[in-house]
Amino acid sequence: MKSRKVVLGVMLFILFGTIIYWVRRTSDEGSITKMDTDTIQQFGDQLNRKNNKLRLQLLKNDLSNQQATFYWYKLTNKNLNYQLEINGKKVVAQSSFATASLKIGQAKMEQNQHLVIQSAIAKDLMPDKEYAAQLIAKNQTGKVVYKSNTINFSPKHSRIINVFNYTTAGSQYKDMTNAVQHAINIAKSGDVVEIPAGKICFVGPIKLKSGLTLLVNGTLKARISAKEFISGKKKSLALINSSAKQRLKNVSIIGTGIIDGSGWRTDFQGNYLKATASNCSKMGLLAGNEIQLIEKRFNLSNKKAYNLRSNLINIQHADNFYLGSGLTLRNSADHLLVITNSTNVVINNADFESYNANNGDGLDFVQSQGLRVMNSVFNTGDDSIDFSGGFPKDKRQGTTGNAVIINNYFKHRHGAVALGSGTTNGISNILVSDNVFQNSGVGLKIKSNPKIGGEVENITFRDSWLNDNNGEGGNAAAIMLNYPYLQNGSQRKLTIKNVTISNITCTTTNGPLFEIKNQKPAVIKNILIKDIASQKSPKSKISGLTDSLIINEKF
């Protein structure tokens, strides 16, 4: 009996020593101990499934385009094949911007890593016809092991308003702002305002209204007349805007066309010329014109004028906003899409292109709740998707969160998914899963400063593949709390907690695989990093953690 106790004691010592090895090989300071994993709220898992039931969901906003996008969350059993059926017949999933890239990533994943496509598109549906959709899950032998709920739906016939019906002679080649705005103004709830395929509309700022679908199958392109966009000493108007006074409800921007901000010049191959505040007058189109006019009219410095250039799309105070269905956003003077103080936003099958013109983001989600981004491509000059909980100086006090980022392809950018630097009012409940990251900076980045304050919590980054992560930063994931901030601070203590990073495969990174840097008095706790593999990466640099665990980091 005594010898058995000795053997058991030796085994426990070896096991405990192994865990401590994985923790300490990436840590240079701080108290890092085994945490209670129950304290990490697996937001993604709670959101994905209840009692392991397969739940099919429909993006209703897509129905106005005579197609339907369905999505679901994969179950815990990763060796399942999912098949959508409509009216009892198999639907061949239509390709999206991201699907091909995901398949490439899938082929290069290790066997224990799986990217799972979790959506399907049914096209060429008939208006007013009744359909029933159900999802089937089969195991590797082809046996049906799960069936989802059934969704009954019927695409509705909508009145289509062609903006070219309201043009005057020659205006379609110069300025169609009035024609497009008139079509929007006369549209009733449920109507579709269309820019037809093969047509180009040159416009200044336009304003949306509730109940509208803007169908862009052609090109909606910004005029480069700065005076139409400048709005005093504040941010310039976007090409597409919502009202700052009335809440916007049930609006969709869809189509297979392009919304072009005419922000910057391109070379002969169509690549945006690298632009900064100092050379924007040479490299910029609308952006350069805006900055020069703002400097002259309001006697502002070049740096301040640069920060006032216009976004492509500005949506604020909105409920139920949808964008995508094959749409491309490109060449904005600043950010491509900014969502502020809104709820229930879906981005599906969209292409965000602003690389490498300026430091504009792809999508900013600011003090808003409820976001789903799927089947989209991001190739941006700064962060691809940025969540902001605001700053101490902001009048708005809304929190940000409840978001799912799934089945997307991220190309060049600083941070693919960035949380902060605005964290004052909190960022929570973010799931980033089953994505591909190519030639990037940082896959998941949390950035802030103790002066900014707030809580970032319940963040899950999992089941993804990163290839040649050699951009700015060059990390799979990073938590950096030394972000520059010189203004008056918040009274709220900065806390980063309940973060899970799991099942991530990298080829190479030029920076540490993971980098976590605290700055007192901020607190970083309950961080779980597990099942990570990299072919070639510098050792992780992690400091200033409490109650956290790092296991199974393989090189």
Side-chain angles (χ1 to χ4, degrees):
M1 179 65 73
K2 187 175 181 179
S3 62
R4 292 171 114 185
K5 289 183 178 179
V6 171
V7 172
L8 180 59
V10 171
M11 292 177 65
L12 290 174
F13 177 80
I14 293 172
L15 176 61
F16 181 76
T18 301
I19 293 175
I20 292 300
Y21 168 76
W22 286 116
V23 172
R24 290 189 173 176
R25 72 179 295 230
T26 57
S27 309
D28 56 6
E29 67 179 19
S31 173
I32 302 180
T33 60
K34 185 180 184 306
M35 68 173 198
D36 177 5
T37 54
D38 288 340
T39 63
I40 289 189
Q41 299 180 28
Q42 298 292 335
F43 166 72
D45 293 336
Q46 295 296 327
L47 180 68
N48 292 355
R49 59 187 186 278
K50 293 182 178 179
N51 300 322
N52 218 32
K53 290 183 179 180
L54 188 58
R55 184 185 175 201
L56 184 65
Q57 299 180 72
L58 169 67
L59 294 180
K60 295 181 180 180
N61 310 64
D62 210 19
L63 289 176
S64 57
N65 204 25
Q66 272 65 67
Q67 66 179 30
T69 298
F70 296 88
Y71 67 95
W72 58 91
Y73 295 99
K74 64 183 181 184
L75 301 177
T76 50
N77 183 349
K78 296 181 180 180
N79 294 317
L80 294 176
N81 296 315
Y82 298 94
Q83 177 60 58
L84 178 67
E85 294 183 354
I86 293 183
N87 291 350
K89 296 181 179 180
K90 178 180 176 180
V91 173
V92 177
Q94 299 291 324
S95 62
S96 69
F97 282 115
T99 300
S101 301
L102 285 165
K103 288 181 178 178
I104 293 171
Q106 172 76 39
K108 295 182 179 180
M109 299 288 279
E110 291 185 353
Q111 290 184 356
N112 66 328
Q113 305 272 336
H114 293 277
L115 290 174
V116 179
I117 305 297
Q118 297 165 66
S119 65
I121 305 172
K123 294 189 174 182
D124 301 322
L125 301 174
M126 298 297 295
D128 302 319
K129 181 178 178 179
E130 297 294 332
Y131 293 93
Q134 187 178 41
L135 187 68
I136 307 297
K138 298 180 180 180
N139 62 19
Q140 295 302 301
T141 65
K143 179 182 177 181
V144 175
V145 290
Y146 295 101
K147 289 186 177 182
S148 75
N149 54 302
T150 298
I151 295 179
N152 297 304
F153 67 100
S154 176
K156 300 301 180 184
H157 181 78
S158 301
R159 182 177 70 140
I160 296 178
I161 302 174
N162 187 332
V163 298
F164 282 87
N165 292 338
Y166 305 98
T167 59
T168 56
S171 66
Q172 59 181 291
Y173 304 107
K174 297 179 181 179
D175 184 1
M176 287 191 60
T177 308
N178 290 337
V180 174
Q181 191 62 60
H182 177 72
I184 291 172
N185 292 344
I186 66 172
K188 298 179 180 179
S189 181
D191 286 349
V192 175
V193 173
E194 181 187 24
I195 288 86
K199 298 289 188 177
I200 300 178
C201 289
F202 292 94
V203 296
I206 60 174
K207 186 180 293 185
L208 301 174
K209 71 175 186 179
S210 292
L212 174 78
T213 294
L214 179 61
L215 177 60
V216 183
N217 286 329
T219 299
L220 188 66
K221 191 176 180 67
R223 286 164 46 80
I224 60 174
S225 173
K227 64 181 180 181
E228 299 175 36
F229 292 85
I230 289 175
S231 182
K233 294 184 180 181
K234 55 186 180 181
K235 189 75 172 176
S236 298
L237 292 172
L239 180 64
I240 299 176
N241 305 268
S242 61
S243 173
K245 298 180 180 179
Q246 293 182 330
R247 199 141 187 102
L248 189 73
K249 296 183 179 181
N250 304 320
V251 167
S252 298
I253 304 178
I254 62 175
T256 57
I258 299 169
I259 301 178
D260 188 318
S262 302
W264 306 93
R265 299 181 188 278
T266 60
D267 61 21
F268 292 111
Q269 295 180 330
N271 300 312
Y272 303 126
L273 299 177
K274 180 65 176 177
T276 62
S278 60
N279 69 2
C280 60
S281 60
K282 296 181 180 179
M283 304 300 182
L285 292 173
L286 176 60
N289 293 342
E290 286 178 336
I291 294 167
Q292 291 182 63
L293 187 56
I294 290 171
E295 286 177 335
K296 180 178 180 181
R297 182 176 292 182
F298 304 109
N299 195 29
L300 294 179
S301 67
N302 178 260
K303 182 178 180 179
K304 288 183 178 180
Y306 182 75
N307 291 332
L308 295 180
R309 65 197 192 280
S310 59
N311 299 321
L312 184 66
I313 302 176
N314 227 20
I315 302 297
Q316 54 184 328
H317 311 298
D319 303 311
N320 301 325
F321 175 77
Y322 176 88
L323 181 142
S325 302
L327 192 64
T328 295
L329 309 183
R330 73 183 187 192
N331 199 11
S332 177
D334 197 358
H335 306 313
L336 288 168
L337 173 61
V338 178
I339 307 289
T340 306
N341 192 24
S342 298
T343 63
N344 193 21
V345 175
V346 175
I347 310 299
N348 171 53
N349 197 9
D351 190 2
F352 290 74
E353 297 288 341
S354 65
Y355 181 83
N356 190 21
N358 67 91
N359 64 333
D361 295 339
L363 164 63
D364 283 357
F365 196 65
V366 183
Q367 295 182 328
S368 298
Q369 289 288 326
L371 171 68
R372 181 177 182 85
V373 182
M374 55 189 281
N375 299 326
S376 295
V377 166
F378 291 85
N379 188 31
T380 58
D382 203 330
D383 296 330
S384 294
I385 301 175
D386 182 82
F387 293 90
S388 176
F391 293 90
K393 65 178 182 178
D394 292 345
K395 295 180 180 179
R396 294 185 300 271
Q397 297 297 312
T399 61
T400 296
N402 294 317
V404 175
I405 314 298
I406 194 167
N407 287 171
N408 301 287
Y409 181 52
F410 296 92
K411 294 194 281 188
H412 306 96
R413 75 277 173 190
H414 292 174
V417 180
L419 285 65
S421 59
T423 57
T424 303
N425 297 304
I427 302 172
S428 62
N429 299 344
I430 311 293
L431 170 65
V432 182
S433 180
D434 296 88
N435 298 290
V436 169
F437 304 84
Q438 175 77 33
N439 297 328
S440 61
V442 182
L444 175 72
K445 177 168 61 176
I446 300 175
K447 54 182 179 178
S448 191
N449 184 294
K451 287 186 177 182
I452 300 174
E455 289 191 349
V456 178
E457 59 182 337
N458 303 339
I459 312 300
T460 299
F461 177 38
R462 71 182 190 194
D463 301 339
S464 293
W465 183 70
L466 295 86
N467 184 44
D468 296 334
N469 233 44
N470 297 320
E472 181 178 320
N475 314 113
I479 301 176
M480 308 298 288
L481 302 189
N482 58 348
Y483 198 81
Y485 187 76
L486 302 177
Q487 301 183 34
N488 294 330
S490 169
Q491 299 299 314
R492 300 173 181 176
K493 187 173 184 177
L494 177 60
T495 303
I496 314 297
K497 63 181 181 180
N498 302 343
V499 178
T500 298
I501 301 172
S502 64
N503 212 27
I504 305 295
T505 296
C506 289
T507 53
T508 62
T509 62
N510 63 355
L513 185 60
F514 294 99
E515 189 166 6
I516 300 178
K517 188 172 183 178
N518 199 354
Q519 182 169 304
K520 295 181 179 180
V523 173
I524 305 176
K525 64 181 182 180
N526 293 351
I527 311 297
L528 175 61
I529 302 175
K530 65 176 184 177
D531 299 329
I532 311 300
S534 176
Q535 295 176 11
K536 184 180 179 181
S537 294
K539 288 184 178 181
S540 297
K541 291 184 178 180
I542 298 178
S543 63
L545 302 185
T546 59
D547 299 323
S548 299
L549 181 64
I550 300 117
I551 56 177
N552 294 345
E553 186 183 53
K554 301 177 182 179
F555 293 89

